[in-house]
Amino acid sequence: MMGAVHPHSSGKLVTAPVFSTIFDPENAFWRAMSLLTDVLVLSLLWLFCSLPVLTLGPATAGLYDAVVKYVRPRRHGAWLQFFRVFRRELAGGAAASALWAAALAALLAGLQFFWQAQLARLSGAPLVLAAYFVCLLIPVGGLCWTFPALSRFTLSPLAAMVRGVQLAVAYLPFTLLIVLSGALSAALSLLFYVPMLILPCLTAMLWSVMMERAFRRFTPGADPS
């Protein structure tokens, strides 16, 4: 005997909303696909917009702001936000990128000097080289903090650099994690290439967990905890 079809109390047949569930954009599958798409597209946008090198700063500001305001809270419009912030910070971010490039060039010259001393086996060279690496944490960390800060606050290029260094010192444990995660992401991307399709956005998401806690202290009316 075939199974009976049970009518609804109103007299209409009840059918399971299978298709409406499958194609519901709010179900777990489509939300995961939306997140993956945002991560992929934002990572690619950051890569392409960073190619001229001097635009790495505004591209990082755009990526960070899009991650904080759209990707993490799962709102639509992350790609447009990237371009809005990128255009807004293009001049200031490029200037800050140039200033940081000059500062890092000087620091790398010092690193090369101490490395040559190490190769020449000069007395005390290993200890000095190790100390220099530790000291590099502050400027490199300042660089990492600068452009997220530029995306959140109105700052001149020089003021953004100063704020970045201040944050790097004030939140030294966070800075260490930020620098290490950034270095690991860069190494994986350069060695295997494929990770660079998602790591820029994922790294920004990781950084934002730590940086937003610091930024709230500079935001009027925000909970500083």
Side-chain angles (χ1 to χ4, degrees):
M1 180 177 179
M2 297 180 62
V5 178
H6 298 284
H8 191 270
S9 58
S10 63
K12 297 181 180 180
L13 296 179
V14 177
T15 58
V18 177
F19 289 103
S20 62
T21 302
I22 292 175
F23 295 105
D24 181 5
E26 296 303 317
N27 70 30
F29 173 77
W30 290 113
R31 286 177 64 84
M33 291 301 297
S34 173
L35 175 60
L36 179 60
T37 301
D38 280 346
V39 168
L40 179 62
V41 172
L42 286 173
S43 295
L44 290 173
L45 288 175
W46 181 84
L47 286 169
F48 287 126
C49 291
S50 298
L51 287 179
V53 181
L54 285 181
T55 56
L56 185 147
T60 301
L63 174 63
Y64 184 87
D65 202 70
V67 161
V68 170
K69 295 180 180 177
Y70 289 85
V71 177
R72 285 183 56 189
R74 299 309 308 131
R75 296 171 55 201
H76 298 294
W79 313 347
L80 292 176
Q81 182 66 8
F82 174 92
F83 284 114
R84 278 194 292 264
V85 177
F86 178 79
R87 288 195 300 267
R88 186 189 74 203
E89 305 298 342
L90 184 57
S97 298
L99 291 172
W100 268 119
L104 292 178
L107 291 170
L108 289 175
L111 179 62
Q112 185 179 17
F113 173 81
F114 292 121
W115 181 253
Q116 292 298 325
Q118 163 70 15
L119 293 178
R121 300 183 182 277
L122 296 179
S123 177
L127 183 61
V128 174
L129 182 62
Y132 192 80
F133 266 113
V134 172
C135 292
L136 282 177
L137 175 64
I138 300 303
V140 174
L143 170 63
C144 295
W145 282 92
T146 294
F147 300 107
L150 192 63
S151 77
R152 305 306 305 280
F153 308 105
T154 302
L155 299 166
S156 68
L158 186 57
M161 291 181 66
V162 172
R163 178 62 58 86
V165 173
Q166 289 173 338
L167 289 166
V169 173
Y171 296 90
L172 198 57
F174 285 170
T175 299
L176 179 60
L177 293 175
I178 287 166
V179 170
L180 289 177
S181 62
L184 179 61
S185 296
L188 290 174
S189 297
L190 291 174
L191 287 173
F192 303 107
Y193 298 111
V194 174
M196 72 174 59
L197 298 178
I198 59 171
L199 281 181
C201 188
L202 292 180
T203 302
M205 292 174 71
L206 175 62
W207 287 10
S208 70
V209 174
M210 295 174 278
M211 289 181 171
E212 286 306 298
R213 184 173 177 179
F215 291 159
R216 281 197 292 271
R217 295 181 179 271
F218 297 90
T219 304
D223 182 3
S225 61

